[in-house]
Amino acid sequence: MIDPFGRKISYLRVSVTDRCDFRCVYCMCEDMTFLPKADLLTLEELDRMCGAFVRLGVRKLRITGGEPLVRRNIMSLFRALGRHLESGDLDELTLTTNGSQLPKYARDLALAGVKRVNVSLDTLDADKFRAITRWGEMDKVMAGLEAAREAGLAVKINMVALKGVNEDELTHMIAWCGERGHDLTFIETMPIGDVGEARSDQYLPLSTVRQRLERDWTFSDIDFHSGGPARYVSVAETGRKVGFITPMTHNFCESCNRVRLTCTGTLYMCLGQEDSADLRAPLRASESDEPLIEAIHRAIAAKPKGHDFLIGRGAAVSRHMNVTGG
Ligand code: SAM
Ligand code: SF4
């Protein structure tokens, strides 16, 4: 799959549910309305969708949400997708999770072929954790990290940098991740979905964060690209990688290799644009995958050149992050 700007699409992110057991302040409002369950693709349909993308050249699948591990029977999807790893058609099957369900599932994920997980953790202070996630408990996430370690899963921590909330903890998080052997990625808040407060109150530009952190740590730029908006440095003191995801301050679109599928079968060709394609109708139209594959080709041919985020203008896109998946 090559888009009109010559970018090879080899990475699919799949949101398997818009629901979550947390209500993070930058992601959701407290009284979210979720999709009716009847609108969701079944796990078998999600498996078929992913299979079609793998056939078309996707080499990496990331399962996300909402919280992917709260979807009922989700392990059956991971087990099914694991077959593409065994056949060599897929290089990586991974997920982004808030970690709360890892005590239950870390082992099964490893058995399905998952090697690495991204776990979101914005603070190491239990009270702050509760304030940011509204409904989350830090102990459960810590138990999840321990379960991941026991299962042999490598963990990368995702930390959203929030002005006046956790900005005093960024340097400590580098040390903590260094001690525990985790890579770490800092993320700028993106204006995605109305969360009931002004985005400019949450926004902390990572360019200034990096300068501040360089007083405590020795960073060297490394030539490691995920095809996404992250730029990585290696930290001399810990030997680990630290990434900076800066959609607001840098343009990363020219190397974009990904598209995103929602749990209702809508394909978003860009996180920061409204352009989308319905893949549920062609999937359900036939037992053969041909109509679906044609629809995927049409969608890739319409992938926009780049995003248009601008803090201070309200939500650039109206759907919440839990719909498109992070
Ligand atoms: N529930 C899982 C989790 O929290 O990791 C997966 C889905 S979550 C939407 C994926 C990632 O998006 C998380 O790391 C989260 O911190 C991040 N995220 C959510 N809303 C965001 C926003 N408005 N700006 C930047 N990152 C956001
Ligand atoms: Fe849930 Fe993840 Fe959104 Fe937090 S960031 S509310 S854990 S989907």
Side-chain angles (χ1 to χ4, degrees), residues 59-174:
R59 304 287 314 174
K60 175 169 173 179
L61 278 175
R62 177 176 299 280
I63 306 301
T64 177
E67 174 46 43
L69 298 182
V70 301
R71 171 112 192 219
R72 186 180 307 198
N73 208 14
I74 188 65
M75 280 309 130
S76 67
L77 179 64
F78 278 99
R79 279 192 294 272
L81 295 174
R83 74 183 182 282
H84 301 298
L85 294 168
E86 278 166 26
S87 69
D89 292 331
L90 192 64
D91 296 328
E92 187 170 23
L93 172 62
T94 183
L95 70 153
T96 304
T97 172
N98 65 26
S100 69
Q101 308 300 310
L102 280 177
K104 194 159 138 202
Y105 290 133
R107 211 180 117 74
D108 291 343
L109 288 167
L111 288 173
V114 172
K115 300 247 179 312
R116 304 189 301 156
V117 292
N118 286 6
V119 178
S120 302
L121 181 62
D122 301 326
T123 176
L124 294 169
D125 175 304
D127 293 333
K128 246 191 236 180
F129 185 88
R130 169 53 63 131
I132 295 171
T133 62
R134 293 196 187 103
W135 295 5
E137 281 168 46
M138 203 171 82
D139 287 355
K140 276 199 197 157
V141 176
M142 291 299 162
L145 291 175
E146 186 51 31
R149 197 188 57 74
E150 279 168 18
L153 296 172
V155 171
K156 189 181 73 153
I157 301 291
N158 280 348
M159 178 176 190
V160 176
L162 297 161
K163 191 159 85 184
V165 178
N166 63 3
E167 58 178 301
D168 56 335
E169 283 192 74
L170 304 176
T171 203
H172 179 51
M173 192 64 105
I174 294 181

Side-chain angles (χ1 to χ4, degrees), residues 20 24 26-27 64-68 96-98 118-120 122 158 160 187-192 199 202 321-322 325-326:
C20 186
C24 303
Y26 46 76
C27 179
T64 177
E67 174 46 43
T96 304
T97 172
N98 65 26
N118 286 6
V119 178
S120 302
D122 301 326
N158 280 348
V160 176
I187 307 178
E188 273 175 1
T189 48
M190 292 179 268
I192 294 183
R199 292 286 179 185
Q202 302 177 335
M321 192 72 171
N322 65 310

